[in-house]
Each structure stands twice: as structure tokens, then as C-alpha cells.
Amino acid sequence: MAVTDEAITKIKDMLISGELKAGDRLPPEKDLSERLGLSRSSMREAVKALELIRVLDVRRGDGTYVTSLEPQLLTEAMAFVVDLHQDKSVLELFEVRRILEPGSASLAAQRITEPQLAELNAMIDTVQEDTSVEDLVAHDLAFHSLIAKASGNSYLESLLDGLSSSTVRARVWRGLTQDKAVTATLAEHNAIAAALSRGDAELARALMTVHVSGVENWLRQSL
Amino acid sequence: MAVTDEAITKIKDMLISGELKAGDRLPPEKDLSERLGLSRSSMREAVKALELIRVLDVRRGDGTYVTSLEPQLLTEAMAFVVDLHQDKSVLELFEVRRILEPGSASLAAQRITEPQLAELNAMIDTVQEDTSVEDLVAHDLAFHSLIAKASGNSYLESLLDGLSSSTVRARVWRGLTQDKAVTATLAEHNAIAAALSRGDAELARALMTVHVSGVENWLRQSL
DNA sequence: ATCCGGCAAACATCCGACCATTAGGATGTA
DNA sequence: TACATCCTAATGGTCGGATGTTTGCCGGAT
């Protein structure tokens, strides 16, 4: 194994063993490279790789720190992968969403807080049928993201956020506006919010399934 | 933005735009660094980062290639994150599994092929109640992985594979053997396989929900 | 107490040299 | 011809040092 990969493993092990905890600062590059027994160049490659997946946070002129290691790490990784797979297997990605979103809605119905409900309703009130496509896309992302957050499961939230490729969503919404389906879609959002406010997990799950499936079917036909 | 991050973005853009396709070979480090307008050292950091998440495949003495870009990329990313979060939020991870696994089972019931069914049954026949813990863990991983593969959705398969931290699974199984729950768990596997062979998606989903939830509850109590 | 300048620490980038490995062609042999 | 072996060029792997840039912090002035 290359020294760089060894370094990645060693740093990872230090994290798992607890030797390094969230927020900790790593030794300076020079010291760390000596400790790991490699050159600064090679060690920087390892750090850069860990930075890409948001495990480390490098601050120029300051030092290198361990990130919070929140499940949010997943978002970046998912989004990166999803970005690369645009247009290729959108339908497969939608299929995964169709599994996760209803689960998310169901959990949210049981756990959503009053402030979150208020936020959700306020969000819904901001859009009309004549809202611009860009705003509709932003609203859609925020709507689903808030529900995911309300699910109380941060891994789930991260996965769903990462799964939301805004470019794909944009194209879908553009199609929806052309097909005059905006009203129906927004009505579905409304119904979901209503189910959440009543804490009706079963209904929220069903409504979300219908909602995502509807978009999925539209997409399937338009391809 | 740092030159290295720019390089990552540029390479990523080349992939999205189709300028670079799966299997393609990148220019030698020297050429590529000149083309991207940075030093070889900095470019290597970018390549290393993309290699960590399995976007690039670097072969010493040969060249750097674009990986298949299969959804399998997700497995590595998920596994890395899950590894780092061991013991911290296992229950949250299990909650995600409880959403995905039933969906996986349901799809598998509709799509599983004869050879896959045969493989699944053969797999089940290899374990007994007196099988070693290590083998039970391996069997369990293989069982769920095969079902995920049979779902026909490679993103789903990747997510589930990544979600399966073998170390956590090992600890769970060790507990199960102590609690004499092996027989029951294996019986559940059997029932799931039977539902799959009948193509009963509804039942497969329910059985899988029960199966995963059972382990989750055991884990909840044992923590 | 507040503001500001300067210093030291730390990361960012680049360069050039040399090592290690691989693929593939050249060569030799049956 | 077919095959095994050797050689070489191409390519990535690693290193150490030089230099630039940014940041945090301390001491002094107001």
C-alpha cells in the first residue's frame, strides 16, 4: 500500500480510536508528516483526500481540524456521486427516493415540532401558481429537506439532501410547469403538510409515496 | 478557491460534460498539471482526493483512469462514514436500514431471478445453529447483500452494502448467539427467502421490516 | 478598554530530483 | 511461427526545500 493510503488509514484509525475527536486540531504538517513517517507532500495528499469528504477541515494560516463528523458528511458524498450520474440513472435514483421519502414523512409525522410545522406552513404560503421556476425548485428542495430534518434522523436527512440534485429537479419542474401540473403538485405538498400537522404517519407516508411516484412517472414518460 | 479544489472541480466537470468517460485514461501527471495550470504536487492532491472516493483509479507505472462510475461509488463513501460513526449513532443507522431493507425486499420479490433464488437458498442451507459467529456474520451480510442486488437498483444496493458495518454486525450477532436468538433469526431469513420465491412483495416487505426491527430492538435494549 | 501594527506560525504552492512499477516492444529460442 | 525472456521508455510515488499567503495573537499606542 502506498504511504499516502497508509496515512489515510492511520488518521482514520486515530479518529475511530478516539485519539482524535471532533474539533481537535492536528499537529502541524511538518510534525504530523514526521510522526506518520512520510514526507510533507505525501501527507498533504492524504489530508486533501480526507478534506474532500469533509472529515478534516484545513484552515490556511491556522491549522487542520477534525470536523464535527456529523452524519452530514453523507450529504457531500452523496451529492458528489449523484452529480456524476446525472441523466444516466435518474430513474434509479428516484426509486431510492421513493423508498426514503415516505419513510422520512412517516417519521416526521411522529416527531415534527411546532416551530417546524409553522415553518413548513409559512414556506407553503410563499409559493403560488405563478411563482418562477427557479423559486419553485428552491421551494421544493426546502420542503423536502425540512421534512427530512423533522424526521429526527440526521443520516436520513443527509441522504435525502444529497439525493436532491437541483439540476434534475429543475428540469422536472420545468416540465411540470409546461404540463400545468404545478397546482396539483403544490396541492400534494399541502396535503402532506396537513397530515404531518395531524401526526398521521400512515397518511403522510401514503401521500409522500403518491407525490414522489407521480413525479417519477412523469419523468419516466418524458424520457 | 485553492488551486487544488479548482482542479477537483475541473476534473469533475470533465466527467459531467462527457469529455472524460468511464474507462478513459487521463493524460500523464505532467501534462495534466500543465493543462490545469498548476504544479504536479497540487494536482496529485486533487487526484488523490478523487481516488479516495473511487472516481479515479491510479495505476502506478501505467496511468490514471476514470472508474466505471458505477453507483458502487456510494458503497465506499457510505462505508467510510459509517466506520467513523460506529458506536455513536448505530440506532439512527439502523433506522435508515429499517426503511431501506423492506423497500429492497419488496423490489427483490418482483425482480429476483431464478439463479439468484437458487443462490439465496443455497446460502441458507450452509448455516446451522452451531455455525461460528464469524460465519454467521458473513452469511448475514451476504444474505442482505444478495437481496439488495436482486432489487435491481444498484444505488440501493450500494447504500445498503455501505450501511453494513461488519464490526457492528459482528457485535450484534455475538449478542444474538448469547441470547439463543440465532434460530429465530435464521428462521426469519428462511421466511423472507420463501416470500421472495413466491414473488410476494407485500409479505417480503413485512417480513423484512420485522426482521430488521427485531435486531434493532435487541440492540436498543442492549445499549 | 479599544484599536492597530507587526511578528510568528501554519498552510499553499511550486520545483526538481530520484525511485519503483508497469506495459509493451525487442530479442532470443524451440 | 509461437513462446518465453529481457529491456526500455513511460508513468506514477516519494522526497525535501524554497517561497508565497493567510491567520492568530501579542504588545504598544491611543
Side-chain angles (χ1 to χ4, degrees):
Chain A
M1 188 191 292
V3 291
T4 302
D5 295 304
E6 281 180 31
I8 292 177
T9 304
K10 284 181 183 173
I11 295 176
K12 184 178 162 187
D13 287 344
M14 286 195 276
L15 290 168
I16 295 179
S17 74
E19 183 179 344
L20 283 177
K21 286 171 295 185
D24 282 1
R25 176 177 172 169
L26 273 66
E29 293 187 339
K30 190 171 183 302
D31 295 356
L32 185 57
S33 62
E34 286 173 2
R35 173 170 170 183
L36 296 179
L38 37 62
S39 74
R40 203 177 138 238
S41 318
S42 301
M43 192 220 58
R44 275 183 58 79
E45 291 180 16
V47 170
K48 193 72 200 181
L50 290 172
E51 189 192 9
L52 179 71
I53 58 173
R54 301 294 186 274
V55 168
L56 296 181
D57 178 23
V58 181
R59 302 179 206 160
R60 182 172 182 167
D62 184 3
T64 302
Y65 298 81
V66 179
T67 68
S68 58
L69 291 180
E70 293 298 310
Q72 193 178 353
L73 294 183
L74 275 177
T75 308
E76 308 282 344
M78 276 289 294
F80 200 101
V81 171
V82 170
D83 266 0
L84 289 178
H85 289 224
Q86 274 177 30
D87 306 324
K88 288 181 182 174
S89 0
V90 185
L91 285 177
E92 274 196 40
L93 286 170
F94 250 86
E95 204 168 63
V96 175
R97 268 196 75 208
R98 196 171 73 179
I99 295 173
L100 286 176
E101 289 275 11
S104 163
S106 173
L107 288 175
Q110 304 162 48
R111 300 174 181 170
I112 195 167
T113 64
E114 278 302 328
Q116 286 174 328
L117 262 179
E119 191 180 344
L120 195 64
N121 285 318
M123 192 183 291
I124 286 180
D125 289 340
T126 63
V127 291
Q128 308 293 332
E129 202 171 336
D130 58 357
T131 305
S132 74
V133 174
E134 287 71 25
D135 289 345
L136 283 173
V137 172
H139 166 260
D140 188 46
L141 287 175
F143 179 82
H144 287 276
S145 181
L146 179 55
I147 292 178
K149 176 183 284 294
S151 79
N153 188 312
S154 32
Y155 292 94
L156 181 57
E157 181 189 350
S158 291
L159 286 176
L160 281 172
D161 281 347
L163 218 42
S164 299
S165 158
S166 56
T167 56
V168 172
R169 290 285 252 280
R171 209 186 48 203
V172 169
W173 273 96
R174 221 174 303 281
L176 286 178
T177 53
Q178 287 175 353
D179 288 3
K180 316 280 187 198
V182 174
T183 313
T185 307
L186 292 180
E188 288 172 3
H189 279 193
N190 259 306
I192 292 170
L196 291 183
S197 70
R198 283 199 307 276
D200 191 335
E202 188 77 19
L203 181 58
R205 172 191 299 277
L207 285 169
M208 185 63 93
T209 303
V210 171
H211 179 55
V212 176
S213 301
V215 178
E216 183 185 347
N217 282 331
W218 177 88
L219 190 62
R220 196 182 303 273
Q221 290 175 355
S222 80
L223 285 181
Chain B
M1 188 192 292
V3 291
T4 302
D5 296 305
E6 280 181 32
I8 293 177
T9 304
K10 284 181 183 173
I11 295 176
K12 184 178 162 186
D13 287 344
M14 286 195 278
L15 290 168
I16 294 179
S17 74
E19 184 179 342
L20 283 177
K21 286 170 296 186
D24 281 1
R25 176 179 173 170
L26 273 66
E29 294 188 339
K30 188 171 182 302
D31 295 355
L32 186 58
S33 62
E34 284 173 4
R35 174 171 167 182
L36 296 179
L38 39 61
S39 72
R40 190 171 156 233
S41 319
S42 301
M43 193 221 58
R44 276 182 58 81
E45 291 181 18
V47 169
K48 194 73 201 180
L50 290 173
E51 189 193 8
L52 181 69
I53 57 174
R54 301 295 187 271
V55 168
L56 296 181
D57 178 23
V58 182
R59 303 178 204 159
R60 183 173 185 168
D62 184 1
T64 302
Y65 296 81
V66 179
T67 67
S68 59
L69 290 180
E70 292 299 309
Q72 193 179 351
L73 294 182
L74 276 176
T75 308
E76 308 283 345
M78 277 288 297
F80 200 101
V81 171
V82 170
D83 265 1
L84 288 179
H85 289 220
Q86 273 177 30
D87 305 324
K88 288 182 181 174
S89 0
V90 185
L91 285 178
E92 275 196 40
L93 286 170
F94 250 86
E95 204 168 64
V96 175
R97 268 197 77 208
R98 196 171 73 179
I99 295 173
L100 287 175
E101 290 275 11
S104 164
S106 174
L107 289 175
Q110 305 162 48
R111 300 174 180 169
I112 195 167
T113 65
E114 278 302 329
Q116 286 174 327
L117 263 179
E119 191 181 345
L120 195 64
N121 285 318
M123 192 183 290
I124 286 180
D125 290 340
T126 63
V127 291
Q128 308 293 334
E129 203 170 338
D130 58 358
T131 305
S132 73
V133 173
E134 287 71 24
D135 288 344
L136 282 173
V137 172
H139 166 260
D140 187 48
L141 286 174
F143 179 82
H144 287 275
S145 181
L146 179 56
I147 293 178
K149 176 182 282 295
S151 78
N153 187 313
S154 33
Y155 293 94
L156 181 57
E157 182 189 348
S158 292
L159 286 176
L160 280 172
D161 281 348
L163 218 41
S164 300
S165 158
S166 55
T167 55
V168 171
R169 289 286 253 282
R171 208 186 48 202
V172 169
W173 272 96
R174 221 174 303 280
L176 286 178
T177 52
Q178 287 173 353
D179 288 4
K180 319 277 187 201
V182 174
T183 313
T185 306
L186 292 180
E188 287 172 1
H189 279 193
N190 258 307
I192 291 171
L196 290 182
S197 70
R198 283 199 307 276
D200 191 334
E202 188 77 20
L203 182 58
R205 173 192 297 278
L207 285 169
M208 185 63 92
T209 303
V210 171
H211 178 55
V212 176
S213 301
V215 179
E216 183 185 345
N217 282 332
W218 178 88
L219 191 62
R220 197 184 302 274
Q221 290 174 356
S222 79
L223 285 181

